[in-house]
Amino acid sequence: MSRDSKRSVVLSLQCPDRVGIVAAVSQFVASHGGWILESSHHSDVDSGQFFMRDQILADSLSFGLDEFRSKFEPLATSFSMTWRISDTSAPKRVILLVSKQDHCLSDLLHRWRNREMEFEIPCVISNHDDLRSFVEFHRIPFHHVPVPADDREPAFRRTAALIAENGPDCVVLARYMQILPEWLTREYAGRILNIHHSFLPSFSGARPYHAAFERGVKLIGATCHYVTAELDAGPIIDQDVMRVDHGDTVDEMMRLGRDVEKMVLARGLRYHLQDRVMIHGSKTVVFS
Amino acid sequence: MSRDSKRSVVLSLQCPDRVGIVAAVSQFVASHGGWILESSHHSDVDSGQFFMRDQILADSLSFGLDEFRSKFEPLATSFSMTWRISDTSAPKRVILLVSKQDHCLSDLLHRWRNREMEFEIPCVISNHDDLRSFVEFHRIPFHHVPVPADDREPAFRRTAALIAENGPDCVVLARYMQILPEWLTREYAGRILNIHHSFLPSFSGARPYHAAFERGVKLIGATCHYVTAELDAGPIIDQDVMRVDHGDTVDEMMRLGRDVEKMVLARGLRYHLQDRVMIHGSKTVVFS
Amino acid sequence: MSRDSKRSVVLSLQCPDRVGIVAAVSQFVASHGGWILESSHHSDVDSGQFFMRDQILADSLSFGLDEFRSKFEPLATSFSMTWRISDTSAPKRVILLVSKQDHCLSDLLHRWRNREMEFEIPCVISNHDDLRSFVEFHRIPFHHVPVPADDREPAFRRTAALIAENGPDCVVLARYMQILPEWLTREYAGRILNIHHSFLPSFSGARPYHAAFERGVKLIGATCHYVTAELDAGPIIDQDVMRVDHGDTVDEMMRLGRDVEKMVLARGLRYHLQDRVMIHGSKTVVFS
Amino acid sequence: MSRDSKRSVVLSLQCPDRVGIVAAVSQFVASHGGWILESSHHSDVDSGQFFMRDQILADSLSFGLDEFRSKFEPLATSFSMTWRISDTSAPKRVILLVSKQDHCLSDLLHRWRNREMEFEIPCVISNHDDLRSFVEFHRIPFHHVPVPADDREPAFRRTAALIAENGPDCVVLARYMQILPEWLTREYAGRILNIHHSFLPSFSGARPYHAAFERGVKLIGATCHYVTAELDAGPIIDQDVMRVDHGDTVDEMMRLGRDVEKMVLARGLRYHLQDRVMIHGSKTVVFS
């Protein structure tokens, strides 16, 4: 069986490192019949923190998630764990925020149509109306919320209300091109993913391709990261690059960069949806 | 602490998959104080085989390897494990076989000089005398064993004798350019690494760059694999590629390819030396 | 100005190599005011053939394409050139042939919607009806031509008729999954592009991901090539690869491979549409 | 014949772009029998500057370089060219500056031993004595010039004197780990290459791997650039990256990074030695 094709539950946890964590967790899982499909560990040397993710065949467990939670709680407490268990057959709800450019949107909708990643899209929100018909072709609600440059706050409150109504697991800024207010980034801390069109920390902020062109770099990149109050400084989930040369204009860098952006955002979202990402301060552990 | 910088022991095992393997092994390790630095698992779906590698801080264990072996044996037997434990502070012995080209040799000697990978080189054996001074500069014995095209067998017996005298953990064909006799590949099954200068299975056999040039491929590659009786068909450890275009002649493909060969062989050898590779039929599990 | 953003004409030629070709062609272009935006040359050493591509600002020329053709002909004849001049502002007509999988189709339609590459899609032809609504959303005619396994020839004649009616510059097999009859490949020699889901020449033919999985390769790939009578043996335009490991099932290789297929096909088609590809025997010169 | 294997001369030039440059240059070369092996052009759109490099078979020209220079001068003047012609059979002289780490040194010496790139190494200069025996094994003079932290200037003057005595075409900082004084960078402007161990402009200055680790990037890189008075801000020749993950410590990033540094420096130096790099303000045109 593929590690993705069968219904499974994902247990992810972090706690101070010590001897016996894996033994205790594995013993717990095994004692309830749990068949482990995939298991990943990481010990962070500097902080002494331990991270673990187990993907377990759902049907192998002798009980459901609620009972798992109550039975596992004492063990978790004894190791001071921060932990979570989720059912991969309950698709996560992802709200997409877009602007006018549709390369990331189009790419994600394709993966959604083909069920390449299991997720639901309760709605798409945009500050422009351009992408309405393409979204609605997919029978997904499209909300046009203009963001006037001189009066953004009401627009963000309206956006936040739409997000809240749809109870998402996460929000994806698929080239939304607006800086979210701090209160919104805090409300969904660790649950808003952005794709930035540079290889961070180089060229944060606006017009990164122009800056890359000016500096004469030989590779351009893209970065998928969690949004925090500080612009383009959140924990990085994934990055990638593409070669350019002196013959590439800013327009051509933008064209080439779109392909990197699509790939990096799709990978980052996939990791997030499968509970493969654990935030640790300003960095991430990604059990890819 | 780095996962590489402290003295550690590596436990690697494979057995039929079932519930409770990780629990049993982790429980055993924890009960003897073992601090796990790195842990990797893999379930092969088709064959139902389970693979596991634990890297354990040596000083955390309450006993040495011999006692580990005797105490672990009953558990291993009950799960029908094939297993091994090794001490990373006891550097493995690697014999290099080379011909006239020295790019892989030079690269490996650099990594050896800098202790980038911990291993000993008891000797270098070559069918040509060209590389003697460079090897001897490193105070490593160099044996020149010519392999006449019309009478290879005595040369291979002499080579085998030299290998046997030096009791190596593994033998590396660092562009040796000779096909080893079947009896020798069997004697060191799973312990002879070759670097082939193509992206296998394309262009196996002789003159792969010429074949790549003729076919007009847009990427050239290299493959590190275990040597088996069938030429270039052994389990693959690592591969990589590099872009070429219509302007690249065979000579330039060879030049570009040398950089890929060096990298792939160095990575493959590193995985092997750190017990990260487990052979499974004609394939490998590589816990990189 | 970007080399892509202004209306330009492309002159591409090949002829036996000798002294003075570039001088004669450049002199001709300059004498008629031609402003060269991009110029590429290649001398094939083995065959002694010379290849050249000039992209010229259309408005800089003192006359149109017809007059260019008649004036250039004597020079071309004196050098025994095979040559072509085309206007990039006259978008090429591309017919897409698809089956059930839509990742390449979806990717190309996105690039078409965004005018990332200038081309027209007179119709999409498929042996299944699955992708009709997505294609028709783009207001592109969709023709369902089933290809029964026991009676393919009539289907291919019907397909050929549809192609002929639409007078395409090229035909793209965007995961069509059918082997075209030899007579059809000959009729559109050098004008049918296929995306094969392996790094050719490895794993030609059916089920390449299964073959790659069985062999245990550490990279999977895709190849864009011109279709010839011999299956998967036509001149290669572009290739790329992606890393996989022992944990990737065939299904996961297919998922990862789709992203490589999309990219490689889009790049190959772009090169073709911009007259950057020149066929030379069983190979290509690609002025990327 | 390979574009690299025969004796050839390289003509490289830049001038304001206009119609007829290629025609005039090609006409000149052809009229003197010049057989062009490789030709590259670039029009910089923003500045209106044109760049060109012709590699010409030396034996095909009816005269030597001196006569070429005098005959070409009028044409060059009429187009306001900055230009240069060089003979690839006269190997350039490259002085290497190193510190204690030898990965770049070892890599370059290997390429020098194997004549993979044609260059001479009149001497190696180091602020430490560690690498003396390895350098002297190659029969290359080694100069130990300590650079005391509290009195650097005399050391740099001694270094500059050694450089001047050896009349180099270029100087390579192969992990020299010292910031050259401004007067020295000015004296050899466009002729000092540095390898910086990050993907610039990220992580300029000291300890880039530590900074990369702190930021949690998912790729590390290296940059080969010309040294200017401003630290790590000179024109970039080449860059590349390598994937890392949360499991990689700073030590492991350093280890992985060394392989990128070696490759990028070797490529950058090769481009420079073959007159493939033309500096244009703070950027480069690289005819790779």
Side-chain angles (χ1 to χ4, degrees):
Chain A
M1 85 209 82
S2 156
R3 61 185 177 189
D4 289 330
S5 65
K6 292 252 173 140
R7 190 181 147 246
S8 56
V9 297
V10 172
L11 170 68
S12 58
L13 61 89
Q14 54 174 293
C15 63
D17 203 359
R18 46 174 273 205
V19 168
I21 305 170
V22 177
V25 174
S26 311
Q27 184 59 35
F28 175 88
V29 172
S31 70
H32 297 292
W35 181 286
I36 296 174
L37 297 167
E38 188 184 336
S39 181
S40 313
H41 312 155
H42 171 62
S43 302
D44 187 73
V45 171
D46 292 340
S47 63
Q49 189 79 347
F50 176 80
F51 302 81
M52 182 171 172
R53 178 188 184 274
D54 268 1
Q55 188 158 345
I56 305 161
L57 188 63
D59 293 341
S60 69
L61 283 170
S62 51
F63 43 60
L65 288 203
D66 287 342
E67 198 170 340
F68 190 106
R69 284 190 187 97
S70 64
K71 284 192 192 299
F72 190 72
E73 188 57 45
L75 190 158
T77 303
S78 72
F79 282 91
S80 308
M81 290 176 182
T82 304
W83 68 288
R84 180 171 57 191
I85 188 158
S86 64
D87 186 339
T88 62
S89 70
K92 293 207 171 64
R93 294 166 66 80
V94 180
I95 292 180
L96 305 179
L97 269 61
V98 300
S99 186
K100 288 181 169 182
Q101 289 201 58
D102 73 339
H103 54 287
C104 287
L105 173 74
S106 180
D107 181 77
L108 291 178
L109 287 179
H110 172 262
R111 296 178 200 272
W112 171 84
R113 286 201 311 273
N114 286 267
R115 308 187 59 170
E116 184 181 298
M117 299 188 277
E118 288 289 339
F119 63 108
E120 290 172 359
I121 306 176
C123 69
V124 173
I125 303 173
S126 179
N127 56 339
H128 293 280
D129 208 41
D130 304 47
L131 303 177
R132 177 182 295 278
S133 69
F134 188 68
V135 170
E136 291 183 346
F137 167 80
H138 293 84
R139 301 177 197 280
I140 295 172
F142 179 90
H143 302 291
H144 177 204
V145 183
V147 181
D150 56 354
D151 193 23
R152 290 195 168 88
E153 196 60 20
F156 288 131
R157 281 201 298 271
R158 168 85 184 110
T159 300
L162 280 168
I163 293 173
E165 283 166 25
N166 284 285
D169 291 279
C170 73
V171 175
V172 172
L173 309 188
R175 296 299 305 267
Y176 179 52
M177 310 304 282
Q178 296 288 331
I179 300 173
L180 297 187
E182 187 171 331
W183 57 266
L184 190 50
T185 66
R186 292 202 191 284
E187 187 170 344
Y188 292 93
R191 293 196 290 151
I192 308 180
L193 284 76
N194 183 43
I195 180 71
H196 182 75
H197 36 316
S198 84
F199 180 63
L200 289 173
S202 288
F203 313 130
S204 60
R207 295 165 64 86
Y209 290 121
H210 289 79
F213 179 81
E214 286 307 315
R215 181 60 186 92
V217 292
K218 302 300 186 186
L219 300 166
I220 54 168
T223 303
C224 178
H225 64 96
Y226 289 111
V227 174
T228 58
E230 189 184 348
L231 183 64
D232 297 332
I236 293 171
I237 306 172
D238 198 20
Q239 304 186 287
D240 217 334
V241 294
M242 184 171 288
R243 194 159 285 275
V244 293
D245 69 22
H246 57 264
D248 291 305
T249 60
V250 172
D251 281 353
E252 285 164 293
M253 285 186 175
M254 286 177 175
R255 172 178 66 78
L256 292 165
R258 285 197 291 269
D259 284 327
V260 186
E261 295 167 32
K262 289 187 302 196
M263 288 287 291
V264 170
L265 178 57
R267 282 207 303 259
L269 178 57
R270 180 181 185 84
Y271 295 149
H272 179 86
L273 293 178
Q274 295 184 345
D275 279 332
R276 295 180 180 279
V277 190
M278 307 181 77
I279 297 176
H280 179 227
S282 62
K283 311 207 294 190
T284 61
V285 171
V286 181
F287 291 125
S288 58
Chain B
M1 86 210 82
S2 157
R3 63 184 174 190
D4 289 330
S5 64
K6 291 254 174 140
R7 191 181 146 248
S8 57
V9 297
V10 172
L11 170 67
S12 59
L13 61 89
Q14 55 174 292
C15 63
D17 203 359
R18 46 173 272 203
V19 168
I21 305 170
V22 177
V25 174
S26 312
Q27 185 59 36
F28 175 88
V29 172
S31 70
H32 297 292
W35 182 286
I36 296 175
L37 297 167
E38 187 184 337
S39 179
S40 313
H41 312 155
H42 171 61
S43 301
D44 187 74
V45 172
D46 292 341
S47 63
Q49 190 80 348
F50 177 79
F51 302 82
M52 182 170 174
R53 177 186 184 276
D54 268 3
Q55 188 159 345
I56 305 160
L57 188 62
D59 293 340
S60 68
L61 283 170
S62 51
F63 43 61
L65 288 203
D66 286 343
E67 196 170 341
F68 190 106
R69 286 191 186 97
S70 64
K71 283 193 192 298
F72 190 71
E73 188 57 45
L75 191 158
T77 303
S78 72
F79 282 92
S80 307
M81 292 176 181
T82 303
W83 68 288
R84 181 171 55 191
I85 189 159
S86 63
D87 185 339
T88 63
S89 69
K92 292 207 171 62
R93 295 167 64 79
V94 180
I95 292 179
L96 306 179
L97 268 62
V98 300
S99 186
K100 288 182 170 183
Q101 290 200 57
D102 72 339
H103 54 287
C104 288
L105 173 73
S106 181
D107 182 77
L108 291 178
L109 287 179
H110 173 261
R111 296 177 200 273
W112 171 83
R113 286 200 310 273
N114 286 267
R115 306 188 59 171
E116 183 181 299
M117 301 189 275
E118 288 290 338
F119 63 108
E120 291 172 359
I121 306 176
C123 68
V124 173
I125 304 171
S126 178
N127 55 338
H128 293 281
D129 207 39
D130 304 47
L131 304 177
R132 176 182 297 278
S133 69
F134 189 67
V135 170
E136 291 183 347
F137 167 79
H138 294 83
R139 300 176 200 278
I140 295 172
F142 179 91
H143 302 291
H144 177 204
V145 183
V147 181
D150 56 353
D151 192 24
R152 290 193 169 89
E153 195 61 21
F156 289 131
R157 280 200 299 272
R158 169 85 183 111
T159 301
L162 280 167
I163 294 173
E165 282 165 26
N166 284 285
D169 290 280
C170 73
V171 175
V172 172
L173 310 187
R175 297 300 305 268
Y176 179 51
M177 311 304 282
Q178 294 288 331
I179 300 173
L180 297 188
E182 187 171 331
W183 58 266
L184 189 50
T185 67
R186 292 203 190 285
E187 187 170 344
Y188 292 93
R191 295 196 288 152
I192 307 179
L193 283 77
N194 183 44
I195 180 70
H196 182 75
H197 37 316
S198 84
F199 181 66
L200 291 174
S202 289
F203 312 128
S204 60
R207 295 164 65 87
Y209 290 121
H210 289 80
F213 179 81
E214 287 306 317
R215 180 61 186 92
V217 292
K218 302 299 185 184
L219 301 167
I220 54 168
T223 303
C224 179
H225 65 96
Y226 288 111
V227 174
T228 58
E230 189 184 348
L231 182 65
D232 296 331
I236 293 170
I237 305 171
D238 198 19
Q239 304 186 287
D240 217 333
V241 294
M242 183 171 288
R243 193 159 287 277
V244 292
D245 68 22
H246 57 264
D248 291 306
T249 59
V250 172
D251 280 353
E252 284 164 295
M253 286 186 174
M254 286 177 175
R255 172 178 66 80
L256 292 164
R258 285 196 291 267
D259 284 328
V260 186
E261 295 166 33
K262 288 186 302 197
M263 288 286 292
V264 170
L265 177 56
R267 281 206 304 260
L269 178 58
R270 181 181 183 84
Y271 296 149
H272 179 86
L273 293 178
Q274 296 184 344
D275 279 332
R276 295 180 180 278
V277 191
M278 307 182 77
I279 297 176
H280 179 226
S282 62
K283 311 206 296 190
T284 61
V285 171
V286 180
F287 291 125
S288 59
Chain C
M1 86 208 82
S2 156
R3 63 184 177 191
D4 290 330
S5 65
K6 292 251 172 141
R7 190 181 147 247
S8 57
V9 297
V10 172
L11 170 68
S12 58
L13 61 89
Q14 56 174 291
C15 63
D17 203 358
R18 45 173 274 202
V19 168
I21 304 170
V22 177
V25 174
S26 312
Q27 185 59 35
F28 175 89
V29 172
S31 69
H32 298 291
W35 182 286
I36 296 175
L37 297 167
E38 187 183 338
S39 180
S40 313
H41 311 155
H42 171 60
S43 301
D44 187 74
V45 172
D46 292 341
S47 63
Q49 190 78 349
F50 176 79
F51 303 80
M52 181 170 174
R53 177 187 184 275
D54 269 3
Q55 188 159 346
I56 305 161
L57 188 63
D59 293 340
S60 68
L61 284 171
S62 51
F63 44 60
L65 287 204
D66 287 342
E67 198 171 340
F68 190 106
R69 285 190 188 97
S70 64
K71 284 193 193 297
F72 190 71
E73 188 58 45
L75 191 158
T77 303
S78 72
F79 283 92
S80 306
M81 291 176 181
T82 303
W83 68 288
R84 180 170 57 190
I85 188 158
S86 64
D87 186 340
T88 62
S89 70
K92 292 207 172 64
R93 295 167 65 80
V94 180
I95 292 180
L96 305 180
L97 268 62
V98 300
S99 186
K100 288 182 170 182
Q101 290 200 58
D102 73 340
H103 54 286
C104 288
L105 174 73
S106 180
D107 181 77
L108 290 179
L109 287 178
H110 173 261
R111 295 178 200 271
W112 171 83
R113 285 201 311 273
N114 286 266
R115 306 188 59 172
E116 183 181 298
M117 300 189 276
E118 288 290 337
F119 63 107
E120 291 172 359
I121 306 176
C123 70
V124 173
I125 304 172
S126 178
N127 56 337
H128 293 280
D129 208 39
D130 305 46
L131 304 177
R132 175 181 296 278
S133 68
F134 189 68
V135 170
E136 291 183 345
F137 168 80
H138 294 82
R139 301 177 198 278
I140 294 171
F142 179 90
H143 302 290
H144 177 204
V145 183
V147 182
D150 55 354
D151 192 23
R152 290 192 168 90
E153 196 60 20
F156 288 131
R157 281 201 298 271
R158 169 86 183 112
T159 300
L162 280 167
I163 293 173
E165 282 166 26
N166 284 284
D169 290 279
C170 73
V171 174
V172 171
L173 309 188
R175 297 298 306 266
Y176 179 51
M177 310 304 282
Q178 294 287 331
I179 299 172
L180 296 188
E182 186 172 333
W183 58 265
L184 190 49
T185 66
R186 293 201 190 283
E187 187 170 344
Y188 292 92
R191 295 196 289 151
I192 307 179
L193 283 77
N194 183 44
I195 180 70
H196 182 74
H197 37 316
S198 84
F199 181 63
L200 291 173
S202 288
F203 313 128
S204 60
R207 297 166 63 87
Y209 290 121
H210 288 80
F213 179 81
E214 287 306 316
R215 181 60 186 91
V217 291
K218 301 300 184 184
L219 301 166
I220 54 168
T223 303
C224 179
H225 65 96
Y226 289 110
V227 173
T228 57
E230 189 185 347
L231 183 65
D232 296 332
I236 293 170
I237 305 170
D238 199 18
Q239 304 187 286
D240 218 333
V241 295
M242 184 171 287
R243 193 159 286 277
V244 293
D245 70 20
H246 57 263
D248 291 306
T249 60
V250 172
D251 281 352
E252 284 164 293
M253 285 187 176
M254 286 177 176
R255 171 178 66 78
L256 292 165
R258 285 196 292 266
D259 284 328
V260 186
E261 295 168 31
K262 289 186 301 196
M263 289 285 292
V264 171
L265 178 56
R267 281 207 304 259
L269 178 58
R270 180 182 184 82
Y271 296 149
H272 179 86
L273 293 177
Q274 297 184 344
D275 279 332
R276 294 180 180 279
V277 191
M278 307 181 78
I279 298 177
H280 180 224
S282 62
K283 312 207 293 191
T284 61
V285 171
V286 181
F287 290 126
S288 59
Chain D
M1 89 208 81
S2 157
R3 63 184 177 190
D4 289 332
S5 64
K6 292 252 173 139
R7 191 181 146 245
S8 56
V9 297
V10 172
L11 170 68
S12 59
L13 61 90
Q14 55 174 294
C15 63
D17 203 358
R18 46 173 271 205
V19 168
I21 306 169
V22 178
V25 175
S26 312
Q27 185 59 36
F28 176 89
V29 172
S31 70
H32 298 293
W35 182 287
I36 296 174
L37 296 167
E38 187 182 337
S39 180
S40 312
H41 312 155
H42 171 61
S43 301
D44 187 74
V45 171
D46 292 341
S47 63
Q49 190 80 347
F50 176 80
F51 302 82
M52 182 170 174
R53 178 187 184 275
D54 269 2
Q55 188 159 346
I56 305 160
L57 187 62
D59 293 340
S60 68
L61 284 170
S62 50
F63 44 60
L65 287 203
D66 288 341
E67 197 171 340
F68 191 106
R69 284 190 187 97
S70 64
K71 283 191 193 301
F72 190 71
E73 188 58 46
L75 191 158
T77 303
S78 71
F79 283 92
S80 307
M81 291 175 181
T82 304
W83 68 289
R84 180 170 56 190
I85 188 157
S86 64
D87 185 341
T88 61
S89 69
K92 293 208 172 64
R93 293 167 65 79
V94 180
I95 292 180
L96 305 179
L97 268 61
V98 300
S99 186
K100 288 181 171 182
Q101 290 199 57
D102 73 340
H103 53 287
C104 288
L105 174 74
S106 180
D107 181 76
L108 291 178
L109 287 179
H110 173 262
R111 295 178 201 272
W112 171 83
R113 285 201 310 273
N114 287 266
R115 306 187 60 171
E116 183 182 299
M117 300 189 277
E118 287 290 338
F119 63 108
E120 290 172 0
I121 306 176
C123 68
V124 173
I125 303 172
S126 178
N127 56 340
H128 293 282
D129 208 40
D130 304 48
L131 304 177
R132 177 182 295 278
S133 69
F134 189 67
V135 170
E136 291 184 345
F137 168 79
H138 293 82
R139 301 176 196 278
I140 295 172
F142 180 90
H143 302 291
H144 177 204
V145 183
V147 182
D150 55 355
D151 193 23
R152 290 195 170 88
E153 196 62 19
F156 288 131
R157 280 200 299 272
R158 168 86 184 111
T159 301
L162 280 168
I163 293 174
E165 282 165 27
N166 284 284
D169 291 279
C170 74
V171 174
V172 171
L173 310 187
R175 298 298 306 267
Y176 179 50
M177 310 305 282
Q178 294 288 330
I179 300 172
L180 296 188
E182 187 172 332
W183 57 266
L184 190 49
T185 67
R186 293 203 191 283
E187 188 170 343
Y188 292 93
R191 295 196 289 151
I192 307 180
L193 284 76
N194 183 44
I195 179 72
H196 182 75
H197 37 315
S198 84
F199 180 66
L200 290 174
S202 289
F203 314 129
S204 60
R207 295 166 62 90
Y209 290 121
H210 289 80
F213 179 82
E214 286 308 315
R215 181 61 187 92
V217 293
K218 302 299 185 185
L219 300 167
I220 54 168
T223 303
C224 178
H225 65 95
Y226 288 110
V227 173
T228 58
E230 189 184 347
L231 183 64
D232 296 333
I236 293 170
I237 306 171
D238 199 20
Q239 303 186 287
D240 217 333
V241 295
M242 185 172 286
R243 193 159 286 277
V244 293
D245 70 21
H246 57 264
D248 291 306
T249 59
V250 172
D251 281 352
E252 284 163 295
M253 286 186 175
M254 287 178 176
R255 173 178 65 79
L256 293 165
R258 285 197 292 267
D259 284 328
V260 187
E261 295 167 32
K262 289 186 304 195
M263 288 287 291
V264 170
L265 177 56
R267 281 207 303 258
L269 179 57
R270 180 182 185 83
Y271 296 149
H272 179 86
L273 293 178
Q274 297 185 344
D275 280 332
R276 295 180 180 279
V277 190
M278 306 181 78
I279 298 177
H280 180 225
S282 63
K283 312 206 295 192
T284 61
V285 171
V286 181
F287 291 126
S288 59

